[in-house]
Amino acid sequence: MKNFVIAIDGPAGSGKSTISRLVAKKLNFLYVDTGAMYRALTLKAMKKNIPFQNKEKLIDMAKNTEIELYDEDGKFKVIMDGEDVSEEIRKEEVSKNTSYIASILEIRKILWEMQRKFREKYNVVMEGRDIGSKVFPDAQIKIYLDASIEERVKRRYSQLKEMGIEESIEKIKKEMMERDQKDKNREIAPLIKGDDYYYIDTTNLTIDEVVETVISIYKNIKDRL
Ligand code: C5P
């Protein structure tokens, strides 16, 4: 039998990272943040001054990039070509530019392959935009996390502040809405909520409540398998 996958998709700030990590910890599953991979490649292109219009160069760059993800003392680490980029990839400049990288099919295919490898060895909780639709269409559980735009902006603001990054609420909101728009409407692997997803609106729920909801879905499904 294939290893277990809990796919968690949803827009920015819907609580994916927090919830996914806690669920993974409780179930002793591997946690994988796929957004970090798109961010890492975006950062590399920015550092190398590769124009985002130059698809060929970007694809070539992606083919020659090593990305390692792991949890270290409760911190999610992203190592790109041997360098720790965990914090740098969270900057708004990077967030804004991810849509270029995310819209290139050849690059997505490279990342899909890396993402699918995790399941060969581990049960995983994987979060992103296309985990249930493209990476693991056969995931045993697919969750779509959502929240109101106001709540999502508030969360992102606090998250950035905690990392020592100061951004205005207005700027975060504008960029988040633009990013949602692009993620939901792009041609390749858009963020969609299929009929086989459990939909959870986290706006008025505590973190514990959301985690418990996911765990109870897991227990239910597990008993039926
Ligand atoms: O999840 P996070 O906000 O870090 O993702 C950054 C960006 O990476 C998203 O806005 C999206 O454009 C892209 N992404 C994607 N597919 C994924 C994960 C992230 O296209 N599975």
Side-chain angles (χ1 to χ4, degrees):
M1 201 169 100
K2 277 189 175 175
N3 280 327
F4 207 100
V5 175
I6 302 181
I8 304 204
D9 290 307
S14 56
K16 295 191 303 293
S17 302
T18 309
I19 303 304
S20 304
R21 289 187 81 170
L22 289 170
V23 169
K25 201 167 172 204
K26 276 208 161 178
L27 299 177
N28 207 14
F29 279 22
L30 182 74
Y31 161 63
V32 182
D33 168 7
T34 61
M37 298 170 135
Y38 291 89
R39 287 173 178 273
L41 291 182
T42 305
L43 177 69
K44 185 165 176 178
M46 288 165 72
K47 282 189 166 174
K48 285 189 160 298
N49 282 319
I50 301 176
F52 285 113
Q53 282 68 31
N54 194 337
K55 281 194 185 179
E56 232 163 272
K57 257 198 155 171
L58 292 171
I59 294 165
D60 201 48
M61 177 200 83
K63 278 183 188 159
N64 293 295
T65 305
E66 215 178 289
I67 302 173
E68 292 165 76
L69 308 175
Y70 60 90
D71 253 312
E72 190 189 73
D73 303 330
K75 285 216 157 121
F76 187 70
K77 289 277 175 202
V78 184
I79 311 294
M80 182 175 63
D81 298 331
E83 193 193 342
D84 185 346
V85 293
S86 319
E87 295 205 352
E88 228 177 323
I89 59 165
R90 302 292 162 195
K91 294 193 172 150
E92 280 303 298
E93 272 318 290
V94 177
S95 307
K96 227 168 57 183
N97 287 327
T98 48
S99 62
Y100 297 107
I101 293 290
S103 65
I104 301 172
L105 179 62
E106 289 83 351
I107 293 188
R108 296 198 78 92
K109 283 185 177 166
I110 295 167
L111 295 183
W112 287 342
E113 204 177 303
M114 289 185 196
Q115 291 156 11
R116 287 180 188 132
K117 282 225 164 80
F118 289 107
R119 191 191 200 176
E120 288 173 11
K121 279 199 186 161
Y122 306 99
N123 293 319
V124 292
V125 178
M126 191 173 285
E127 58 140 317
R129 302 292 186 290
D130 60 346
I131 310 306
S133 61
K134 295 288 180 188
V135 184
F136 297 119
D138 64 340
Q140 288 88 341
I141 297 178
K142 300 180 186 181
I143 309 260
Y144 189 101
L145 285 191
D146 210 350
S148 69
I149 180 73
E150 286 73 23
E151 179 64 24
R152 294 193 286 120
V153 169
K154 220 165 75 185
R155 289 175 189 169
R156 183 49 56 98
Y157 176 81
S158 315
Q159 202 180 28
L160 288 172
K161 203 164 180 188
E162 243 170 59
M163 294 188 320
I165 303 170
E166 275 284 343
E167 293 277 9
S168 76
I169 294 272
E170 294 71 29
K171 191 163 172 234
I172 295 174
K173 184 172 181 183
K174 184 170 168 280
E175 288 178 0
M176 197 178 261
M177 286 171 82
E178 278 170 12
R179 197 143 67 89
D180 283 355
Q181 228 285 64
K182 287 180 186 154
D183 285 340
K184 288 180 178 169
N185 296 300
R186 67 170 171 244
E187 218 164 291
I188 299 152
L191 169 63
I192 47 160
K193 175 169 57 71
D195 293 339
D196 51 353
Y197 274 78
Y198 291 89
Y199 180 82
I200 307 175
D201 182 344
T202 70
T203 310
N204 298 308
L205 297 178
T206 63
I207 292 171
D208 281 352
E209 284 169 335
V210 183
V211 171
E212 277 319 310
T213 307
V214 178
I215 298 284
S216 66
I217 293 171
Y218 169 77
K219 285 183 179 154
N220 251 316
I221 299 281
K222 187 96 182 53
D223 287 347
R224 278 195 260 137
L225 286 179

